[in-house]
Amino acid sequence: MDNNDLLAVEGLRVSAEEKEILRGIDLKIGKGETHVLMGPNGAGKSTLAGALMGDPRLTVTGGAARINGEDLLEMGVHERARAGLYMSFQNPVEVPGISLENFVRTALEQRSGEKVRPWAFHKEVLQVLKTLEMDESYAERDLNYGFSGGEKKKAEIFQLLLLKPSLAILDETDSGLDVDAVRTVSRGIEEFRKNQDASLLVITHNAAILEALHPDAVHILVDGRIVKNGGPELIGEIGRDGFAAYTGEEVHA
């Protein structure tokens, strides 16, 4: 593992309900880098994200994964969060009875083991809401309860900017969003990337949200394997031609 690698995945094999989904994934993400993982539906993109976060429904059957040189696969879910991992979910759960602001403050306290000063934290919350052009009342709403799909995705970006993880995994964050929500998500991603030490893995099958991202690397995942590694030019290729060249499907002009 290179000293600049934040995440190093080697030969990772993962199964769900005895069906192998990932068939030997190699992936390295350096500190401060932005990577994009693209692939058709069912390719295994969300499985990779879940395996990195310790989803108990998944079984790692081979390979290795390290974060900052430490064995990621030996960590519990809470230990992975403390190590700096964060993942935004495609369908975040609703949690009535706890406000979005209190949820994030509690998460910060759990990760650091130290109390967070409520007033200072509230000031930071207001700044993040301003950055995302979201109403201040948003932070007092119950976590995802009664939220629209777009509001849930905005809440995920809100958490991202306040938790300040070392590596953020955004799993299909742009799925089903309207133009306004896509703009908010894009703004949040750009704000997160201002932290030069923070890394980002964007998982998607849609090239639209990636237009202004300028990632360091792009990876194409098909049938549980990364079949192509490249630069931002791959985004344009997929946006133009889709994944047919990698799935064996006929390309129509």
Side-chain angles (χ1 to χ4, degrees), residues 133-144:
E133 297 182 1
M134 294 163 62
D135 190 89
E136 292 183 6
S137 63
Y138 200 83
E140 298 307 315
R141 295 176 63 183
D142 287 358
L143 179 63
N144 294 324

Side-chain angles (χ1 to χ4, degrees), residues 56 80 139 153 170 203 210-211:
R80 299 182 196 212
K153 298 301 176 69
L170 306 185
I203 298 174
L210 306 175
E211 292 176 354

Side-chain angles (χ1 to χ4, degrees), residues 63-86:
R66 296 184 176 276
I67 183 167
N68 282 321
E70 297 184 17
D71 191 340
L72 181 65
L73 302 181
E74 289 297 318
M75 297 180 183
V77 175
H78 66 288
E79 293 172 315
R80 299 182 196 212
R82 287 178 179 171
L85 274 183
Y86 169 85

Side-chain angles (χ1 to χ4, degrees), residues 202-220:
V202 179
I203 298 174
T204 185
H205 65 273
N206 186 352
I209 199 171
L210 306 175
E211 292 176 354
L213 197 55
H214 308 298
D216 296 284
V218 178
H219 315 279
I220 307 299

Side-chain angles (χ1 to χ4, degrees), residues 40 243-252:
F243 299 104
Y246 304 104
T247 60
E249 298 176 359
E250 183 180 353
V251 179
H252 298 282

Side-chain angles (χ1 to χ4, degrees), residues 182-195:
V182 168
R183 189 180 301 115
T184 298
V185 168
S186 299
R187 188 182 302 116
I189 290 173
E190 287 302 313
E191 187 67 21
F192 177 75
R193 294 176 76 214
K194 290 179 182 179
N195 182 347

Side-chain angles (χ1 to χ4, degrees), residues 9 16 23 30 43 45-46 56 67 76 94 115 144 153 159 165 167-168 179 198 213 217 235 244:
V9 178
R23 308 178 183 188
K45 303 183 301 297
S46 293
I67 183 167
E94 297 184 355
K115 294 292 292 183
N144 294 324
K153 298 301 176 69
Q159 294 171 56
L167 172 61
V179 174
L213 197 55
I235 297 174

Side-chain angles (χ1 to χ4, degrees), residues 91-104:
N91 299 296
V93 298
E94 297 184 355
V95 185
I98 180 171
S99 72
L100 180 57
E101 179 173 343
N102 286 340
F103 173 80
V104 178

